[in-house]
């Protein structure tokens, strides 16, 4: 009579045992993988090793900087489009540098809701780059048109903020209200919906508030710098094509 196991588990031709675990609430998979690696390096005896399998193996083998590369490419793509639109390499920074103020709101809401920096939150960040840039573009485009008619830079920036306030509030609040069901989701897939909804709502809400004040200030700073490099080109200095809009948006001071 011979005694032995009914089955032998192997992994990459090595005798192995499988261990399955889940990260604690509030701990991301990346942090859990790092913890396993640290514990294994300290406690496994000589002759023993470990390997990940399944989705964990894919995540562990991915480059740690892949997400940073994606964000860099997204920002570069937005910058190049704005540079072509404004025919300037300086003015697009008024849009680009306003985006982080909105992304800050994503991490604030994630901290409040105890959400880890997972793939769903990163998707919300990439989506917000375009949406927050859209709000800033509305202000900068309007202010640039007014500056080209001969209006002062500061006055053009103020007029841009006033004229685009209502469109920004309407589109941003519509998106925020539409994402509330995801933010308060329950049931199957609730964690992913909650992370994506909370990140997008927080970033859009904080970004909407900050950009109304920050974008005009940045427009003034970068427009002064742009005009030191390239002299301004005036168009429609008589304001013939802007009479109705000036009457609508200008502030009458007696």
């Amino acid at each position: 009579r011979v005694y032995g196991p009914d089955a032998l588990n192997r992994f990459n031709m090595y005798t192995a045992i499988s261990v399955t675990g889940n990260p604690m609430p509030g701990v991301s998979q990346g942090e859990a993988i790092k913890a396993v690696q640290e514990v294994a390096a300290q406690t496994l005896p000589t002759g023993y090793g470990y390997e990940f399998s399944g989705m964990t193996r894919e995540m562990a083998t991915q480059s740690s900087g892949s997400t940073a590369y994606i964000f860099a490419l997204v920002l570069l793509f937005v910058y190049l489009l704005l540079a072509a639109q404004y025919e300037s390499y300086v003015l697009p920074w008024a849009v680009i540098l306003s985006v982080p103020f909105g992304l800050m709101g994503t991490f604030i809401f994630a901290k409040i809701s105890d959400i880890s920096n997972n793939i769903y939150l990163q998707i919300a960040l990439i989506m917000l780059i375009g949406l927050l840039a859209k709000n800033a573009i509305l202000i900068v485009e309007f202010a640039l048109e007014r500056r080209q008619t001969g209006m002062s830079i500061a006055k053009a920036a103020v007029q841009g903020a006033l004229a685009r306030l209502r469109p920004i509030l309407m589109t941003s609040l519509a998106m925020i209200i539409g994402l509330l069901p995801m933010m308060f989701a329950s049931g199957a897939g609730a964690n992913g919906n909650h992370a994506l909804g909370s990140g997008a709502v927080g970033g859009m809400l904080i970004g909407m508030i900050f950009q109304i004040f920050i974008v005009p200030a940045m427009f003034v700073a970068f427009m002064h710098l742009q005009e030191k490099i390239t002299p301004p080109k005036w168009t429609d200095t008589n304001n013939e094509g802007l009479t109705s809009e000036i009457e609508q948006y200008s502030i009458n001071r007696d």
Side-chain angles (χ1 to χ4, degrees):
R1 188 181 294 270
V2 178
Y3 296 93
D6 294 333
L8 292 176
N9 294 325
R10 295 184 180 276
F11 189 84
N12 287 342
M13 301 303 293
Y14 289 97
T15 303
I17 60 173
S18 62
V19 179
T20 303
N22 293 316
M24 295 178 61
V27 179
S28 66
Q29 287 186 327
E31 293 172 340
I33 291 173
K34 184 178 180 181
V36 170
Q37 292 171 338
E38 292 175 352
V39 172
Q42 296 173 1
T43 60
L44 283 181
T46 304
Y48 285 81
Y50 69 93
E51 286 287 348
F52 296 107
S53 63
M55 294 295 296
T56 306
R57 183 181 182 88
E58 295 294 330
M59 181 174 294
T61 55
Q62 287 179 351
S63 173
S64 59
S66 59
T67 303
Y69 293 145
I70 293 174
F71 280 112
L73 287 174
V74 170
L75 289 174
L76 177 62
F77 186 70
V78 173
Y79 173 77
L80 292 176
L81 285 178
L82 293 177
Q85 178 179 350
Y86 298 141
E87 297 181 353
S88 168
Y89 292 109
V90 177
L91 202 55
W93 290 107
V95 176
I96 298 295
L97 294 181
S98 68
V99 172
F101 291 93
L103 300 184
M104 174 184 64
T106 299
F107 293 103
I108 292 175
F109 271 58
K111 186 67 175 180
I112 295 174
S113 303
D114 196 21
I115 299 173
S116 61
N117 186 14
N118 53 34
I119 186 64
Y120 297 100
L121 193 68
Q122 294 171 8
I123 291 174
L125 290 174
I126 295 175
M127 177 179 64
L128 283 171
I129 291 177
L131 294 172
L132 294 172
K134 179 264 300 179
N135 288 345
I137 289 170
L138 289 175
I139 298 176
V140 172
E141 182 69 21
F142 192 97
L144 181 61
E145 291 178 355
R146 297 306 175 272
R147 174 56 180 165
Q148 291 175 345
T149 63
M151 188 179 292
S152 67
I153 297 177
K155 184 67 174 178
V158 173
Q159 290 295 320
L162 291 175
R164 297 310 187 194
L165 176 61
R166 184 171 61 181
I168 289 175
L169 291 178
M170 290 174 62
T171 56
S172 300
L173 290 177
M175 177 184 171
I176 291 171
I177 295 173
L179 288 172
L180 287 179
M182 292 185 66
M183 184 176 178
F184 299 104
S186 60
N191 290 336
N193 291 333
H194 183 53
L196 181 59
S198 298
V201 168
M204 204 65 195
L205 180 61
I206 301 298
M208 175 186 66
I209 297 173
F210 275 85
Q211 283 187 313
I212 294 173
F213 304 99
I214 292 173
V215 175
M218 288 189 174
F219 173 81
V220 172
F222 285 105
M223 196 64 194
H224 277 294
L225 180 60
Q226 173 64 33
E227 293 186 356
K228 288 182 179 180
I229 300 173
T230 305
K233 298 179 181 179
W234 310 115
T235 59
D236 191 18
T237 55
N238 295 326
N239 297 329
E240 295 178 357
L242 302 175
T243 302
S244 60
E245 293 188 18
I246 291 176
E247 293 177 353
Q248 179 181 359
Y249 295 120
S250 62
I251 300 177
N252 296 322
R253 300 182 183 275
D254 297 331

